[in-house]
Amino acid sequence: MATAPPEDQRRLLEVQALDTRLQQLVHQRRNHPSLATIAELDGRIGDLHTSLVDSRTAVADLERELAKAESDVTQVRTRAERDQQKLDSGALSAKDSQALVSELESLARRQSVLEDAEIEVMERLEAHQASLAEVESAHAELEAAKAKATAERDEAWAEINATGSKVKAEREAAAAALDAGLVALYDKLRAQLGGVGAAALRGGRCEGCRLDLNPRDLAAVKAAPAEQVVRCEECGRILVRLPDDGAAA
């Protein structure tokens, strides 16, 4: 049967309070509102990423298509200029001049077709560029919002970590001053019972499981020596009797 000085048993509640505070800090870290915001923004960024890639690909394809169209127009225009220079030189025979005139007419028609195609590609490119600008703007806004939420998370975590380090040091100092056997039992029970290994007995009720002790168990607790470490019959936690509680008298 475990025993420990009555004062150590009462001070065990201080250790329990510090452990509870540490659990609360862990919960705060894991459930900080910024984490939900970051997860939501990550989802939206992921959804937008496909549109962003598709839009950038479309613009790149159209830019290549436009470059080819411009090259085709330039080639025809250069050929026409060269033929016109030959025609203007007056050094050609009538037959060659007639053939060159026919070729210039054909080149003019070809240039007109190519220029129309070039304009059509330019219009499609401008439309896709405008769409891409909107998608990139939306993506940048989401990334900025995520960066803000991440900074808020990091700031909160730093504060929680600092508080946790302080509380942990207080807890270690408090536990080190208590009976080693009592602390060992408490730590074992705390690991088994959801983080609460010791609870006060107030008004005949265990504050660990929030249940009233039956008259027989309460009488046994009252009759137990002050040094005896008593346990709640319902939840198994260490019951700490308080001198100012009538039920523990």
Side-chain angles (χ1 to χ4, degrees):
M1 184 175 296
T3 60
E7 179 61 24
D8 282 10
Q9 295 186 44
R10 289 190 288 271
R11 290 172 61 190
L12 185 62
L13 293 178
E14 298 175 10
V15 175
Q16 177 65 78
L18 291 169
D19 281 331
T20 299
R21 178 57 178 150
L22 288 172
Q23 284 183 302
Q24 292 170 343
L25 290 171
V26 170
H27 179 80
Q28 289 176 19
R29 181 182 169 92
R30 290 177 178 172
N31 296 277
H32 192 271
S34 62
L35 296 178
T37 300
I38 292 171
E40 189 265 340
L41 288 170
D42 275 336
R44 293 172 62 186
I45 290 172
D47 292 340
L48 195 60
H49 181 71
T50 300
S51 297
L52 184 61
V53 171
D54 290 345
S55 187
R56 285 174 174 169
T57 300
V59 167
D61 290 344
L62 286 169
E63 286 175 341
R64 286 191 292 270
E65 187 175 344
L66 178 59
K68 184 179 184 305
E70 291 173 340
S71 176
D72 291 343
V73 170
T74 298
Q75 289 179 2
V76 171
R77 192 176 291 152
T78 300
R79 176 71 178 272
E81 290 174 353
R82 185 169 61 248
D83 287 353
Q84 188 64 50
Q85 289 174 357
K86 290 180 180 180
L87 188 63
D88 292 343
S89 70
L92 300 175
S93 65
K95 181 180 179 181
D96 288 342
S97 295
Q98 184 60 42
L100 208 54
V101 168
S102 296
E103 182 174 316
L104 284 168
E105 291 174 350
S106 177
L107 289 171
R109 290 192 296 271
R110 175 61 176 164
Q111 182 175 332
S112 178
V113 171
L114 291 174
E115 287 176 343
D116 288 343
E118 179 184 8
I119 291 173
E120 188 271 336
V121 174
M122 289 178 64
E123 290 175 346
R124 286 193 290 132
L125 176 58
E126 289 174 357
H128 277 279
Q129 286 175 330
S131 177
L132 174 59
E134 292 180 359
V135 176
E136 286 183 329
S137 177
H139 187 267
E141 289 180 2
L142 291 176
E143 288 287 0
K146 179 183 175 181
K148 180 181 178 181
T150 300
E152 292 175 354
R153 179 205 64 189
D154 292 345
E155 182 180 356
W157 277 5
E159 183 177 347
I160 290 171
N161 290 344
T163 302
S165 295
K166 180 180 178 181
V167 174
K168 184 177 180 180
E170 292 176 1
R171 191 272 185 197
E172 290 176 351
L178 302 183
D179 180 85
L182 176 66
V183 173
L185 175 61
Y186 161 75
D187 284 337
K188 178 181 177 180
L189 293 174
R190 185 167 62 89
Q192 297 172 348
L193 300 171
V196 180
L201 174 65
R202 296 184 189 275
R205 170 175 293 187
C206 169
E207 291 194 341
C209 59
R210 301 293 180 181
L211 294 176
D212 292 329
L213 275 66
N214 63 52
R216 179 181 176 181
D217 291 338
L218 182 58
V221 168
K222 288 181 177 182
E227 293 78 13
Q228 181 178 331
V229 177
V230 296
R231 304 264 296 275
C232 174
E233 291 294 331
E234 297 294 338
C235 67
R237 294 180 173 92
I238 296 171
L239 272 180
V240 178
R241 293 164 287 176
L242 303 176
D244 58 347
D245 183 60

